[in-house]
Amino acid sequence: MAYLLHSPLCLLIAQLVIIIVTARVLGVLARKIHQPLVIAEVVAGILLGPSLLGLVAPDVKAALFPAASLGTLSMLSQVGLILYMFLVGLEMDLGLLRGRGHTSVFISHTSIIVPFLLGTGLAFYVYPTLMPEGVAFSSFTLFMGVAMSITAFPVLARILTDRRLLRTKVGAVAITCAAVDDVTAWCILAFVVSIVRATAITEAIVTTILAVAYTLAMLLLVRPFLARLAARNTGREGLTQNIVAVTFVLLFLSAWATELIGIHALFGAFLMGAIIPREGGFARILAEKLEDIVVIVLLPTFFALSGLRTQIGLLNTPEAWIQCALIIIIACVGKFGGSYVAARWTGIPWRESAALGILMNTRGLMELIVLNIGLELGVISPTLFTMMVLMALVTTFMTTPILQIVYPVEALAKNLLEPPLPDTRVTLPEGFSVLMCVALDRSGPGMAQIAGALVGKQTTSDRLYGLQLHRPAERTSSLLEEEGASESPSALEPLLARGRDHGLAVRPMSFVSSEPARDICSVADVKDVDLILLGWHKTLFGQAFLGGTVHDVLQNAQADVAVLVSRDLQAVRRVLVPFCGSPHDEVAVRLARRMAYAAGAEVTVLRIRFRNADAPHVDAFLAGIASDKLKVVEVVDDGNKATDLVVKAAQGHDLVVLGSAPLPIDQILSHCPASFLVVHHCERPEPVQRRPRPLTEPSTDAVAHV
């Protein structure tokens, strides 16, 4: 090990590789349990520190992170933090602080004042055992108040985006409160840092005056200069390297100035980002240039350094763990209680108020930054630092699961999605509704072709929806992510274009989703659709046809599901339905029958009879749907030849409508060149006064007018 790390450069490269890999692997696991990436990065730092690696393999930890190397790692993490706080400032839309009325400001200030007071009260309890020697009690008390008041604006914005709350009322209030909260908290922190660093009252006064002068200069001089710079140099070609260089020079000068003033370099980086103009894409372009290198490479070094400073072994007594639990409880009571009571006082309903309190209790990375500042200044001890890190971890971890309980996806879907047509479920007995879920633009035309065949000449009772779900990018700036997403071409366009060609009115829907299967089922339930239509795409791993998201939709949907394998489907004139008698086959026949009546398709039902198998209910079903629109052809499978029978019969057909069981779908697909519609039946209870579903036997007259 020592030979491989013989030079400082080799050691630094090894440290970066281990830190990045650990953070990314844990990040995948965090996503699986619906946690923000910051949780994984904090845990990764703790695992690489003395709390785990130093405990189980002290020699390895000593070789990878020797004390002599921590200075280099610390400087690298400080540069990363400066750039990250610049990104946080870029995301901080100062327009959020205007035009929101007194509600957001009142809630935000209450969510700062209450935990600040509780934090200062907590300082009176813990100072005999946890306050470092030589620290003024006033500095310790003020810092504890600030540390309890922090809300993680970037993590909160990420959670709002993942939960699709950003465009709801509670999301708008939360993001505004967090913005006001962060600006206020950082101003208070800057004041506290100046008090801690000052050796006399006159020095503290001078620091405060210089900080105010610096802030005014940034707002009145630098901000207008940046606005002119952005207006003249932002275009289709983006920003020139000279403009980017000027911006970063100003960034580092701002950080340098605040460090000299005595209020910490991070405040200068944050304010520089906050005054960058957002018009014309200037802020977005800067974020795109910085974000990946900062979030993937530089920021994890800060988490690793925080982990190396976190020593859970210091909590070696019951009293220490009681104090840690008390810190967590007071942190939750202060943030959640203050936000919830203030929100209820302003007239916000209890569910939205509770969601707001839970969101404001998120601390994440911002708390770690504050704690590391306190540890570097000597205001808090290593033991208290460890307790506060655990508090930040717990309060951030609990946000998503509790939010899911208080603000479930069903309530969210009703607030986000457009309402159904008036009286659709009662007065339109034979309307047919399809939810077409488009992931890739090439899937859209085939789906529109199927929808057109199912409804024929569309009536007011038929409802067709096109849904595109965007996977959330692992971006720090959720607001800038939305700006970029709005400029990207929509995969729905080919679907809508083909729909217009067939005279179909398709209603588009599009939003960010971290759980596509769950959200597809939720939208289908809210819209009360008869059929969920999915496109099929090869998975990265494995060859299962009904796997991945498709499998999850099949398991949870409350409507019948069809998966389209479109092989340049241009028309639905001749349709083949292999039929063995399963419930899935029955739905396939009914869909094909609708195509026959609505679009005039020629439908052939291939009745596959297995030797020595008696199925009178199957024959009764076919007899019940028999008409001049459907032709039934019977074949006998006398020895596992069903695949060959279907492939042979499919020759010359435009579409094969196939039940998801019992025939071997993968084998048939691999040998048959026709387009396929694989149908899965969902067993569901029929609610009272629900409109009759057309899949359960549409009348001839009802379908004929479609």
Side-chain angles (χ1 to χ4, degrees):
M1 177 71 74
Y3 174 76
L4 297 175
L5 308 175
H6 67 283
S7 72
L9 181 60
C10 287
L11 179 60
L12 179 62
I13 293 173
Q15 289 172 341
L16 291 177
V17 169
I18 292 170
I19 290 169
I20 293 171
V21 170
T22 306
R24 289 287 117 182
V25 170
L26 292 180
V28 173
L29 299 178
R31 285 294 184 184
K32 293 291 185 182
I33 58 175
H34 314 301
Q35 290 294 328
L37 185 61
V38 65
I39 289 289
E41 292 171 327
V42 174
V43 173
I46 293 175
L47 295 182
L48 294 174
S51 298
L52 182 67
L53 185 61
L55 188 65
V56 300
D59 294 338
V60 175
K61 188 262 178 187
L64 287 175
F65 299 101
S69 71
L70 297 186
T72 303
L73 204 61
S74 177
M75 287 297 101
L76 191 62
S77 71
Q78 290 298 317
V79 173
L81 280 182
I82 288 173
L83 296 177
Y84 179 76
M85 289 306 298
F86 176 67
L87 286 174
V88 174
L90 285 178
E91 186 178 358
M92 186 71 64
D93 184 3
L94 295 179
L96 291 172
L97 310 184
R98 300 188 300 268
R100 294 289 187 181
H102 299 291
T103 300
S104 298
V105 175
F106 176 71
I107 296 173
S108 177
H109 287 171
T110 305
S111 71
I112 292 177
I113 293 172
V114 174
F116 186 91
L117 293 176
L118 290 178
T120 55
L122 179 66
F124 282 90
Y125 171 71
V126 301
Y127 85 91
T129 55
L130 297 178
M131 187 178 75
E133 294 183 3
V135 174
F137 179 71
S138 58
S139 299
F140 178 74
T141 303
L142 288 173
F143 188 85
M144 285 295 294
V146 173
M148 287 292 187
S149 305
I150 292 294
T151 291
F153 179 84
V155 178
L156 183 142
R158 177 76 267 164
I159 293 174
L160 289 174
T161 302
D162 289 347
R163 294 277 304 163
R164 305 198 315 280
L165 285 166
L166 203 55
R167 295 179 180 176
T168 63
K169 180 180 178 180
V170 66
V173 174
I175 202 71
T176 306
C177 288
V180 177
D181 201 322
D182 261 20
V183 171
T184 306
W186 276 97
C187 291
I188 296 174
L189 178 65
F191 174 74
V192 172
V193 170
S194 66
I195 294 296
V196 173
R197 285 180 168 177
T199 57
I201 187 65
T202 54
E203 186 176 342
I205 295 174
V206 170
T207 299
T208 303
I209 294 174
L210 290 176
V212 172
Y214 153 80
T215 304
L216 291 175
M218 293 293 287
L219 294 175
L220 300 179
L221 299 178
V222 180
R223 189 181 184 191
F225 169 74
L226 291 172
R228 290 194 297 271
L229 195 69
R232 294 181 180 179
N233 297 280
T234 304
R236 292 184 178 181
E237 296 79 15
L239 301 177
T240 64
Q241 290 185 347
N242 286 337
I243 300 302
V244 175
V246 169
T247 304
F248 284 114
V249 167
L250 290 175
L251 163 63
F252 290 121
L253 286 176
S254 178
W256 175 70
T258 53
E259 183 69 20
L260 285 182
I261 290 172
I263 57 175
H264 208 280
L266 297 184
F267 184 81
F270 172 78
L271 186 56
M272 179 65 189
I275 65 173
I276 292 288
R278 299 169 66 90
E279 295 78 9
F282 189 45
R284 177 177 55 80
I285 294 172
L286 289 174
E288 289 175 348
K289 291 179 178 295
L290 266 180
E291 197 165 55
D292 287 342
I293 188 67
V294 172
V295 174
I296 296 175
V297 179
L298 298 179
L299 201 55
T301 63
F302 168 74
F303 288 109
L305 198 64
S306 299
L308 292 171
R309 293 169 170 173
T310 303
Q311 305 175 56
I312 298 179
L314 293 176
L315 309 185
N316 53 8
T317 64
E319 291 76 15
W321 283 106
I322 291 174
Q323 288 176 327
C324 182
L326 183 63
I327 289 173
I328 295 173
I329 292 172
I330 290 179
C332 295
V333 170
K335 269 294 182 183
F336 174 82
S339 303
Y340 177 81
V341 172
R344 293 292 288 149
W345 185 271
T346 59
I348 298 177
W350 76 267
R351 186 189 297 275
E352 286 78 3
S353 297
L356 187 61
I358 294 165
L359 289 166
M360 295 299 289
N361 194 40
T362 304
R363 285 172 170 83
L365 171 62
M366 307 305 291
E367 181 73 22
L368 290 185
I369 293 175
V370 172
L371 295 178
N372 276 274
I373 291 175
L375 188 64
E376 291 169 359
L377 293 175
V379 181
I380 59 176
S381 63
T383 303
L384 182 57
F385 175 84
T386 299
M387 293 178 179
M388 297 292 282
V389 168
L390 293 177
M391 179 271 289
L393 194 62
V394 170
T395 54
T396 306
F397 184 88
M398 66 192 297
T399 300
T400 301
I402 297 181
L403 189 62
Q404 170 65 25
I405 297 172
V406 173
Y407 214 111
V409 67
E410 293 79 11
L412 176 60
K414 292 179 181 178
N415 290 338
L416 276 179
L417 303 176
E418 58 180 337
L421 289 174
D423 299 326
T424 295
R425 305 190 183 197
V426 177
T427 62
L428 302 175
E430 289 298 342
F432 192 74
S433 57
V434 183
L435 176 65
M436 295 169 280
C437 307
V438 181
L440 302 177
D441 52 4
R442 65 171 180 266
S443 304
M447 290 187 177
Q449 202 76 46
I450 295 295
L454 288 171
V455 302
K457 184 179 179 182
Q458 189 178 12
T459 69
T460 56
S461 62
D462 297 313
R463 294 172 294 124
L464 304 177
Y465 303 98
L467 174 65
Q468 180 184 6
L469 300 178
H470 303 276
R471 288 277 189 181
E474 292 184 349
R475 296 178 64 89
T476 303
S477 177
S478 59
L479 300 180
L480 299 180
E481 174 186 308
E482 284 204 342
E483 289 182 15
S486 64
E487 299 175 0
S488 60
S490 172
L492 289 173
E493 281 304 320
L495 168 68
L496 301 176
R498 181 66 67 88
R500 288 190 293 267
D501 293 341
H502 288 275
L504 302 176
V506 181
R507 303 182 185 185
M509 295 182 291
S510 178
F511 52 82
V512 175
S513 170
S514 58
E515 296 181 272
R518 186 189 66 177
D519 288 331
I520 288 171
C521 296
S522 176
V523 173
D525 187 54
V526 171
K527 294 300 183 184
D528 186 29
V529 300
D530 298 301
L531 183 69
I532 301 174
L533 184 56
L534 304 173
W536 176 76
H537 315 287
K538 289 184 178 180
T539 56
L540 183 62
F541 301 105
Q543 299 296 323
F545 174 75
L546 301 179
T549 300
V550 172
H551 174 268
D552 295 337
V553 173
L554 296 182
Q555 293 295 313
N556 299 292
Q558 297 300 307
D560 294 322
V561 182
V563 184
L564 174 64
V565 182
S566 177
R567 290 164 175 162
D568 195 24
L569 181 64
Q570 297 295 325
V572 182
R573 293 181 295 265
R574 299 189 63 198
V575 179
L576 176 71
V577 186
F579 186 83
C580 300
S582 72
H584 311 291
D585 292 342
E586 292 182 7
V587 176
V589 170
R590 288 167 179 153
L591 282 175
R593 183 170 184 259
R594 173 168 283 277
M595 293 177 186
Y597 281 100
E602 178 186 328
V603 177
T604 300
V605 178
L606 184 67
R607 166 70 170 102
I608 301 176
R609 186 182 297 275
F610 297 96
R611 187 173 295 279
N612 300 324
D614 187 21
H617 68 283
V618 175
D619 297 326
F621 172 81
L622 290 177
I625 61 141
S627 69
D628 57 348
K629 295 288 187 179
L630 277 75
K631 179 175 66 174
V632 179
V633 177
E634 185 173 304
V635 293
V636 178
D637 180 7
D638 57 358
N640 297 324
K641 295 181 180 179
T643 299
D644 296 334
L645 293 173
V646 174
V647 171
K648 182 178 179 181
Q651 299 298 321
H653 287 82
D654 302 305
L655 180 69
V656 177
V657 184
L658 179 67
S660 60
L663 295 178
I665 299 173
D666 296 312
Q667 295 181 25
I668 295 175
L669 284 176
S670 62
H671 292 88
C672 184
S675 295
F676 272 82
L677 192 67
V678 179
V679 180
H680 181 87
H681 174 58
C682 171
E683 295 287 348
R684 57 187 176 273
E686 290 292 339
V688 179
Q689 294 184 342
R690 184 186 181 102
R691 61 183 174 84
R693 287 189 173 266
L695 293 188
T696 61
E697 210 59 53
S699 66
T700 303
D701 294 338
V703 181
H705 83 275
V706 176

